[in-house]
Coordinates of all heavy atoms in Angstrom, one line a residue:
M1 N -50.9 15.4 29.7 CA -51.8 14.7 28.7 C -53.2 14.5 29.2 O -53.4 14.0 30.3 CB -51.1 13.4 28.3 CG -51.9 12.7 27.2 SD -51.3 11.0 27.0 CE -49.6 11.3 26.3
T2 N -54.1 15.0 28.5 CA -55.5 14.9 28.9 C -56.2 13.7 28.2 O -56.0 13.5 27.0 CB -56.3 16.2 28.5 OG1 -55.6 17.3 29.1 CG2 -57.7 16.1 29.1
K3 N -56.9 12.9 29.0 CA -57.6 11.8 28.4 C -59.1 12.0 28.5 O -59.6 12.5 29.5 CB -57.2 10.5 29.0 CG -55.8 10.1 28.8 CD -55.5 8.7 29.1 CE -54.1 8.3 28.7 NZ -53.8 6.9 28.8
Y4 N -59.8 11.6 27.4 CA -61.3 11.8 27.4 C -61.9 10.4 27.2 O -61.3 9.5 26.6 CB -61.7 12.7 26.3 CG -61.2 14.1 26.5 CD1 -60.3 14.6 25.6 CD2 -61.7 14.9 27.5 CE1 -59.8 15.9 25.8 CE2 -61.2 16.2 27.7 CZ -60.3 16.7 26.8 OH -59.8 17.9 27.0
F5 N -63.1 10.3 27.8 CA -63.8 9.0 27.7 C -64.5 8.9 26.4 O -65.4 9.8 26.1 CB -64.7 8.8 28.9 CG -65.4 7.5 28.9 CD1 -64.8 6.3 29.2 CD2 -66.8 7.5 28.5 CE1 -65.5 5.1 29.1 CE2 -67.4 6.3 28.5 CZ -66.8 5.1 28.8
L6 N -64.2 7.9 25.6 CA -64.9 7.7 24.3 C -66.0 6.6 24.5 O -65.7 5.6 25.1 CB -64.0 7.3 23.2 CG -63.2 8.4 22.5 CD1 -62.1 7.8 21.6 CD2 -64.1 9.3 21.7
T7 N -67.1 6.8 23.9 CA -68.1 5.8 23.9 C -68.0 5.1 22.5 O -68.1 5.7 21.5 CB -69.6 6.4 24.0 OG1 -69.6 7.2 25.2 CG2 -70.6 5.3 24.0
I8 N -67.8 3.8 22.6 CA -67.6 3.0 21.4 C -68.8 2.0 21.2 O -69.1 1.3 22.2 CB -66.3 2.2 21.5 CG1 -65.2 3.0 22.0 CG2 -65.9 1.5 20.1 CD1 -64.8 4.2 21.2
D9 N -69.4 1.9 20.1 CA -70.4 1.0 19.8 C -69.9 -0.4 19.5 O -68.6 -0.5 19.3 CB -71.4 1.5 18.8 CG -70.8 1.6 17.4 OD1 -69.8 1.0 17.2 OD2 -71.5 2.2 16.5
S10 N -70.8 -1.3 19.3 CA -70.3 -2.7 19.1 C -69.6 -2.9 17.8 O -68.9 -3.9 17.5 CB -71.5 -3.7 19.2 OG -72.5 -3.3 18.3
D11 N -69.7 -2.0 16.8 CA -69.0 -2.0 15.6 C -67.6 -1.4 15.6 O -66.9 -1.4 14.6 CB -69.8 -1.3 14.5 CG -71.1 -2.1 14.2 OD1 -71.1 -3.3 14.3 OD2 -72.1 -1.4 13.8
G12 N -67.3 -0.9 16.8 CA -66.0 -0.3 16.9 C -65.9 1.2 16.5 O -64.8 1.7 16.3
H13 N -67.1 1.8 16.4 CA -67.1 3.2 16.0 C -67.3 4.1 17.2 O -68.2 3.8 18.1 CB -68.2 3.5 15.0 CG -68.0 2.8 13.7 ND1 -66.9 3.2 12.8 CD2 -68.6 1.8 13.1 CE1 -66.9 2.4 11.8 NE2 -68.0 1.6 11.9
A14 N -66.7 5.2 17.3 CA -66.9 6.2 18.4 C -68.2 6.9 18.2 O -68.5 7.4 17.2 CB -65.8 7.2 18.5
T15 N -69.1 6.8 19.2 CA -70.4 7.4 19.1 C -70.5 8.7 20.0 O -71.4 9.5 19.8 CB -71.5 6.5 19.5 OG1 -71.3 6.0 20.8 CG2 -71.5 5.3 18.5
N16 N -69.6 8.8 21.0 CA -69.6 10.0 21.8 C -68.3 10.2 22.5 O -67.5 9.2 22.6 CB -70.7 9.8 22.9 CG -71.3 11.2 23.3 OD1 -70.7 12.2 23.0 ND2 -72.5 11.2 23.9
C17 N -68.1 11.4 23.1 CA -66.8 11.7 23.7 C -67.1 12.6 24.9 O -68.1 13.4 24.8 CB -65.9 12.3 22.7 SG -64.2 12.7 23.4
S18 N -66.3 12.5 25.9 CA -66.5 13.4 27.1 C -65.8 14.7 27.1 O -65.8 15.4 28.0 CB -66.2 12.6 28.3 OG -64.8 12.4 28.3
C19 N -65.2 15.0 25.9 CA -64.4 16.3 25.9 C -65.3 17.5 25.8 O -66.4 17.4 25.3 CB -63.4 16.2 24.7 SG -64.1 16.5 23.1
P20 N -64.8 18.7 26.2 CA -65.6 19.9 26.1 C -66.1 20.2 24.7 O -67.2 20.7 24.5 CB -64.7 21.0 26.7 CG -63.7 20.2 27.4 CD -63.5 18.9 26.8
D21 N -65.2 19.9 23.8 CA -65.6 20.2 22.4 C -66.9 19.5 22.0 O -67.8 20.0 21.3 CB -64.4 19.9 21.5 CG -64.6 20.4 20.1 OD1 -65.0 21.6 19.9 OD2 -64.4 19.7 19.1
R22 N -66.9 18.2 22.4 CA -68.1 17.4 22.0 C -69.3 17.9 22.9 O -70.4 17.8 22.4 CB -67.7 15.9 22.3 CG -68.9 15.0 22.1 CD -69.2 14.9 20.6 NE -70.3 14.0 20.4 CZ -71.1 14.0 19.3 NH1 -70.8 14.9 18.3 NH2 -72.1 13.2 19.1
T23 N -69.1 18.2 24.1 CA -70.2 18.6 25.0 C -70.8 19.9 24.6 O -72.1 20.0 24.5 CB -69.7 18.7 26.4 OG1 -69.1 17.5 26.8 CG2 -70.8 19.0 27.4
Y24 N -70.0 20.9 24.2 CA -70.6 22.2 24.0 C -70.8 22.5 22.5 O -71.5 23.4 22.1 CB -69.6 23.3 24.5 CG -69.5 23.2 26.0 CD1 -68.3 22.8 26.6 CD2 -70.6 23.4 26.8 CE1 -68.2 22.7 28.0 CE2 -70.5 23.3 28.2 CZ -69.3 23.0 28.8 OH -69.2 22.9 30.1
R25 N -70.3 21.6 21.6 CA -70.5 21.8 20.2 C -71.0 20.5 19.6 O -70.5 20.0 18.6 CB -69.2 22.2 19.5 CG -68.9 23.7 19.7 CD -67.6 24.1 19.1 NE -66.4 23.7 19.8 CZ -66.0 24.4 20.9 NH1 -66.5 25.5 21.3 NH2 -64.9 23.9 21.5
S26 N -72.1 20.0 20.2 CA -72.6 18.7 19.8 C -73.3 18.7 18.5 O -73.7 17.7 18.0 CB -73.6 18.2 20.9 OG -74.6 19.2 21.1
Y27 N -73.5 20.0 17.9 CA -74.0 20.0 16.5 C -73.1 19.4 15.5 O -73.4 19.1 14.4 CB -74.4 21.5 16.2 CG -73.2 22.4 16.3 CD1 -72.4 22.6 15.2 CD2 -73.0 23.2 17.5 CE1 -71.3 23.5 15.3 CE2 -72.0 24.0 17.6 CZ -71.1 24.2 16.5 OH -70.0 25.1 16.6
K28 N -71.8 19.4 15.9 CA -70.8 18.8 15.0 C -71.0 17.3 15.0 O -71.3 16.7 16.0 CB -69.4 19.2 15.4 CG -69.1 20.7 15.3 CD -67.6 21.0 15.1 CE -66.9 20.8 16.4 NZ -65.5 21.3 16.3
P29 N -70.7 16.6 13.8 CA -70.9 15.2 13.8 C -70.0 14.4 14.7 O -70.3 13.4 15.2 CB -70.6 14.9 12.3 CG -69.8 16.0 11.8 CD -70.3 17.2 12.6
C30 N -68.8 14.9 14.9 CA -67.8 14.3 15.8 C -66.7 15.3 16.2 O -66.5 16.3 15.6 CB -67.3 13.0 15.2 SG -66.2 13.4 13.8
C31 N -66.0 15.0 17.3 CA -64.9 15.8 17.7 C -63.6 15.1 17.2 O -63.7 14.0 16.6 CB -64.8 15.9 19.2 SG -64.5 14.3 20.0
K32 N -62.5 15.7 17.4 CA -61.2 15.2 16.8 C -60.9 13.9 17.4 O -60.2 13.0 16.8 CB -60.1 16.2 17.0 CG -59.8 16.5 18.5 CD -58.6 17.5 18.6 CE -58.2 17.7 20.0 NZ -57.1 18.7 20.2
H33 N -61.3 13.6 18.7 CA -61.0 12.3 19.3 C -61.7 11.2 18.7 O -61.2 10.1 18.4 CB -61.3 12.4 20.8 CG -60.8 13.6 21.5 ND1 -61.5 14.7 21.9 CD2 -59.5 13.9 21.8 CE1 -60.8 15.6 22.5 NE2 -59.5 15.2 22.4
M34 N -63.0 11.5 18.4 CA -63.8 10.4 17.7 C -63.3 10.1 16.3 O -63.2 9.0 15.9 CB -65.3 10.9 17.7 CG -65.9 11.0 19.1 SD -67.4 11.9 19.1 CE -68.5 10.8 18.2
S35 N -63.0 11.2 15.6 CA -62.6 10.9 14.2 C -61.2 10.2 14.2 O -60.9 9.4 13.4 CB -62.5 12.2 13.4 OG -62.0 13.3 14.1
A36 N -60.3 10.6 15.2 CA -59.0 10.0 15.3 C -59.2 8.5 15.7 O -58.5 7.7 15.2 CB -58.2 10.7 16.4
F37 N -60.1 8.2 16.6 CA -60.3 6.9 17.0 C -60.8 6.0 15.8 O -60.4 4.9 15.6 CB -61.4 6.8 18.1 CG -61.6 5.3 18.6 CD1 -60.8 4.7 19.4 CD2 -62.7 4.7 18.0 CE1 -61.0 3.4 19.8 CE2 -63.0 3.4 18.4 CZ -62.1 2.7 19.3
D38 N -61.8 6.6 15.1 CA -62.3 5.9 13.9 C -61.2 5.6 12.9 O -61.1 4.5 12.3 CB -63.4 6.7 13.3 CG -64.8 6.5 14.0 OD1 -64.9 5.6 14.8 OD2 -65.7 7.3 13.7
A39 N -60.3 6.6 12.7 CA -59.2 6.4 11.8 C -58.3 5.3 12.3 O -57.8 4.5 11.5 CB -58.4 7.7 11.7
E40 N -58.0 5.3 13.6 CA -57.2 4.2 14.1 C -57.8 2.8 13.9 O -57.2 1.9 13.6 CB -56.9 4.5 15.6 CG -56.0 5.6 15.9 CD -54.6 5.4 15.3 OE1 -54.2 4.3 15.1 OE2 -53.9 6.4 15.2
V41 N -59.1 2.8 14.2 CA -59.8 1.5 14.0 C -59.7 1.1 12.5 O -59.5 -0.1 12.3 CB -61.3 1.6 14.4 CG1 -62.1 0.4 14.0 CG2 -61.4 1.8 15.9
Q42 N -59.9 2.0 11.6 CA -59.8 1.7 10.2 C -58.4 1.1 9.9 O -58.2 0.1 9.2 CB -60.1 2.9 9.4 CG -61.5 3.3 9.2 CD -62.3 2.1 8.6 OE1 -61.9 1.5 7.6 NE2 -63.5 1.8 9.1
R43 N -57.4 1.8 10.4 CA -56.0 1.4 10.2 C -55.8 0.0 10.8 O -55.1 -0.8 10.2 CB -55.1 2.4 10.8 CG -54.3 3.1 9.7 CD -53.5 4.3 10.2 NE -52.7 4.0 11.4 CZ -52.2 5.0 12.2 NH1 -52.3 6.2 11.8 NH2 -51.5 4.7 13.2
A44 N -56.3 -0.2 12.0 CA -56.1 -1.4 12.7 C -56.8 -2.6 11.9 O -56.3 -3.7 11.8 CB -56.6 -1.4 14.1
A45 N -58.0 -2.3 11.5 CA -58.7 -3.3 10.7 C -58.0 -3.6 9.4 O -57.9 -4.8 9.1 CB -60.1 -2.8 10.4
T46 N -57.5 -2.6 8.8 CA -56.7 -2.9 7.5 C -55.5 -3.7 7.8 O -55.2 -4.7 7.2 CB -56.3 -1.5 6.9 OG1 -57.5 -0.8 6.7 CG2 -55.6 -1.8 5.6
F47 N -54.8 -3.3 8.9 CA -53.6 -4.0 9.3 C -53.9 -5.4 9.6 O -53.2 -6.4 9.2 CB -52.9 -3.3 10.5 CG -51.8 -4.0 11.1 CD1 -50.6 -4.0 10.5 CD2 -51.9 -4.6 12.3 CE1 -49.5 -4.7 11.0 CE2 -50.9 -5.3 12.9 CZ -49.6 -5.3 12.3
Q48 N -54.9 -5.7 10.4 CA -55.2 -7.0 10.8 C -55.7 -7.9 9.6 O -55.4 -9.1 9.6 CB -56.3 -7.0 11.9 CG -55.7 -6.5 13.2 CD -56.7 -6.7 14.4 OE1 -57.7 -7.3 14.3 NE2 -56.4 -6.0 15.4
A49 N -56.4 -7.2 8.7 CA -56.8 -8.0 7.5 C -55.6 -8.4 6.7 O -55.5 -9.6 6.3 CB -57.8 -7.1 6.7
L50 N -54.7 -7.5 6.6 CA -53.4 -7.9 5.9 C -52.7 -8.9 6.6 O -52.2 -9.9 6.0 CB -52.6 -6.6 5.7 CG -53.0 -5.6 4.7 CD1 -52.2 -4.3 4.8 CD2 -53.0 -6.2 3.3
R51 N -52.6 -8.8 7.9 CA -51.8 -9.7 8.7 C -52.4 -11.1 8.6 O -51.7 -12.1 8.5 CB -51.6 -9.3 10.1 CG -50.6 -10.1 10.9 CD -50.3 -9.5 12.2 NE -51.4 -9.6 13.1 CZ -51.4 -9.3 14.4 NH1 -50.3 -8.8 14.9 NH2 -52.4 -9.5 15.2
Q52 N -53.7 -11.2 8.8 CA -54.4 -12.4 8.7 C -54.2 -13.1 7.3 O -54.2 -14.3 7.2 CB -55.9 -12.3 9.0 CG -56.2 -12.1 10.5 CD -57.6 -11.7 10.8 OE1 -58.4 -11.6 9.9 NE2 -57.9 -11.5 12.0
R53 N -54.2 -12.3 6.3 CA -54.0 -12.8 5.0 C -52.7 -13.3 4.8 O -52.5 -14.4 4.1 CB -54.3 -11.6 4.0 CG -54.5 -12.1 2.6 CD -55.2 -11.0 1.8 NE -54.8 -10.9 0.5 CZ -55.1 -9.8 -0.3 NH1 -55.7 -8.8 0.2 NH2 -54.7 -9.9 -1.6
F54 N -51.6 -12.7 5.3 CA -50.3 -13.1 5.0 C -49.6 -13.9 6.1 O -48.6 -14.6 5.8 CB -49.4 -11.8 4.7 CG -49.8 -11.1 3.5 CD1 -50.4 -9.9 3.5 CD2 -49.6 -11.8 2.2 CE1 -50.7 -9.2 2.3 CE2 -50.0 -11.1 1.1 CZ -50.6 -9.9 1.1
D55 N -50.2 -14.0 7.3 CA -49.6 -14.8 8.3 C -50.7 -15.2 9.3 O -50.9 -14.6 10.3 CB -48.5 -14.0 9.0 CG -47.7 -15.0 9.9 OD1 -48.1 -16.2 10.1 OD2 -46.6 -14.6 10.4
I56 N -51.3 -16.3 9.0 CA -52.4 -16.8 9.8 C -51.9 -17.4 11.1 O -52.7 -17.7 12.0 CB -53.3 -17.8 9.1 CG1 -52.4 -19.0 8.6 CG2 -54.0 -17.2 7.9 CD1 -53.2 -20.1 8.1
R57 N -50.6 -17.5 11.3 CA -50.1 -18.1 12.6 C -50.2 -17.1 13.7 O -50.1 -17.4 14.9 CB -48.7 -18.6 12.4 CG -48.6 -19.8 11.5 CD -47.2 -20.0 11.1 NE -46.7 -18.9 10.4 CZ -45.4 -18.7 10.0 NH1 -44.5 -19.7 10.3 NH2 -45.0 -17.7 9.4
L58 N -50.1 -15.8 13.4 CA -50.1 -14.8 14.5 C -51.5 -14.7 15.1 O -52.5 -14.8 14.4 CB -49.8 -13.4 13.9 CG -48.3 -13.3 13.4 CD1 -48.2 -11.9 12.7 CD2 -47.4 -13.3 14.6
N59 N -51.6 -14.6 16.4 CA -52.9 -14.5 17.1 C -52.9 -13.5 18.2 O -53.4 -13.7 19.3 CB -53.4 -15.8 17.5 CG -52.4 -16.5 18.4 OD1 -51.4 -15.9 18.9 ND2 -52.6 -17.8 18.7
G60 N -52.2 -12.4 18.1 CA -52.2 -11.4 19.1 C -53.2 -10.2 18.9 O -53.0 -9.1 19.2
Q61 N -54.4 -10.6 18.4 CA -55.4 -9.6 17.9 C -55.9 -8.7 19.1 O -56.0 -7.5 18.9 CB -56.5 -10.3 17.3 CG -56.2 -10.9 15.9 CD -57.4 -11.5 15.2 OE1 -58.5 -11.0 15.4 NE2 -57.1 -12.5 14.4
E62 N -56.2 -9.4 20.2 CA -56.8 -8.6 21.3 C -55.7 -7.6 21.8 O -56.1 -6.4 22.1 CB -57.2 -9.5 22.4 CG -58.5 -10.2 22.1 CD -59.6 -9.2 21.7 OE1 -59.8 -8.2 22.4 OE2 -60.3 -9.5 20.7
D63 N -54.5 -8.0 21.9 CA -53.5 -7.1 22.4 C -53.3 -5.9 21.4 O -53.2 -4.7 21.9 CB -52.1 -7.8 22.5 CG -52.1 -8.7 23.7 OD1 -52.9 -8.4 24.6 OD2 -51.2 -9.5 23.8
S64 N -53.3 -6.1 20.1 CA -53.1 -5.0 19.2 C -54.3 -4.1 19.2 O -54.2 -2.9 19.1 CB -52.7 -5.4 17.8 OG -53.4 -6.6 17.5
R65 N -55.5 -4.6 19.4 CA -56.6 -3.8 19.4 C -56.6 -2.9 20.6 O -56.9 -1.7 20.5 CB -57.9 -4.7 19.4 CG -59.2 -4.0 19.1 CD -60.3 -5.0 18.9 NE -60.0 -5.8 17.7 CZ -60.5 -7.0 17.5 NH1 -61.4 -7.5 18.4 NH2 -60.2 -7.8 16.5
R66 N -56.2 -3.4 21.8 CA -56.1 -2.6 23.0 C -55.1 -1.5 22.8 O -55.3 -0.4 23.2 CB -55.8 -3.5 24.2 CG -56.1 -2.8 25.5 CD -56.1 -3.8 26.6 NE -54.9 -4.6 26.7 CZ -54.8 -5.9 26.7 NH1 -55.9 -6.6 26.6 NH2 -53.7 -6.6 26.8
C67 N -54.0 -1.9 22.2 CA -52.9 -0.9 22.0 C -53.4 0.2 21.1 O -53.2 1.4 21.4 CB -51.7 -1.6 21.3 SG -50.4 -0.5 20.8
Y68 N -54.1 0.0 20.0 CA -54.6 1.0 19.2 C -55.6 1.9 19.9 O -55.6 3.1 19.7 CB -55.3 0.4 18.0 CG -54.3 0.0 16.9 CD1 -54.2 -1.3 16.5 CD2 -53.6 1.0 16.2 CE1 -53.3 -1.7 15.5 CE2 -52.7 0.6 15.2 CZ -52.6 -0.7 14.9 OH -51.7 -1.1 13.9
R69 N -56.4 1.3 20.8 CA -57.4 2.1 21.5 C -56.7 3.1 22.4 O -57.0 4.2 22.5 CB -58.3 1.2 22.3 CG -59.4 1.9 22.9 CD -60.5 0.9 23.3 NE -61.1 0.2 22.2 CZ -62.0 -0.7 22.3 NH1 -62.6 -1.0 23.5 NH2 -62.5 -1.3 21.2
E70 N -55.6 2.6 23.1 CA -54.9 3.5 24.0 C -54.2 4.6 23.3 O -54.2 5.7 23.7 CB -53.9 2.7 24.9 CG -54.6 1.9 25.9 CD -53.7 0.8 26.6 OE1 -52.5 0.8 26.2 OE2 -54.2 0.1 27.4
M71 N -53.7 4.3 22.1 CA -53.1 5.3 21.3 C -54.1 6.4 20.9 O -53.8 7.6 21.0 CB -52.5 4.7 20.0 CG -51.1 4.0 20.2 SD -50.7 3.1 18.8 CE -51.0 4.2 17.5
A72 N -55.3 5.9 20.6 CA -56.3 6.8 20.1 C -56.8 7.8 21.2 O -57.1 8.9 21.0 CB -57.5 6.1 19.5
L73 N -56.7 7.3 22.5 CA -57.2 8.1 23.6 C -56.1 9.0 24.2 O -56.5 9.9 24.9 CB -57.7 7.1 24.7 CG -59.0 6.4 24.3 CD1 -59.3 5.4 25.4 CD2 -60.2 7.4 24.3
G74 N -54.9 8.7 23.8 CA -53.8 9.4 24.5 C -53.4 10.7 24.0 O -52.2 11.0 23.9
F75 N -54.4 11.6 23.7 CA -54.0 13.0 23.4 C -55.1 13.9 23.7 O -56.2 13.5 24.2 CB -53.7 13.1 21.9 CG -54.9 12.8 21.0 CD1 -55.6 13.9 20.5 CD2 -55.2 11.6 20.6 CE1 -56.7 13.7 19.7 CE2 -56.3 11.3 19.8 CZ -57.0 12.4 19.3
Ligands
ZN101 ZN1 -63.4 14.5 22.1

């Protein structure tokens, strides 16, 4: 399994990636890792919004955010 380093801005969006596809084809708006990460962030944000709405007692937000990030990087 190859892992690439993603650059994430303060809004949680991937702005760069260290993979060859991103390096050699930088004319493209993003590589598959960046779009996959953004998709995971969107899903995580949706999930957390729903969870906060339906169960405000849960507070494992940092853990789930880290979990989503590792999933996004792990391919
Ligand atoms: Zn990439």
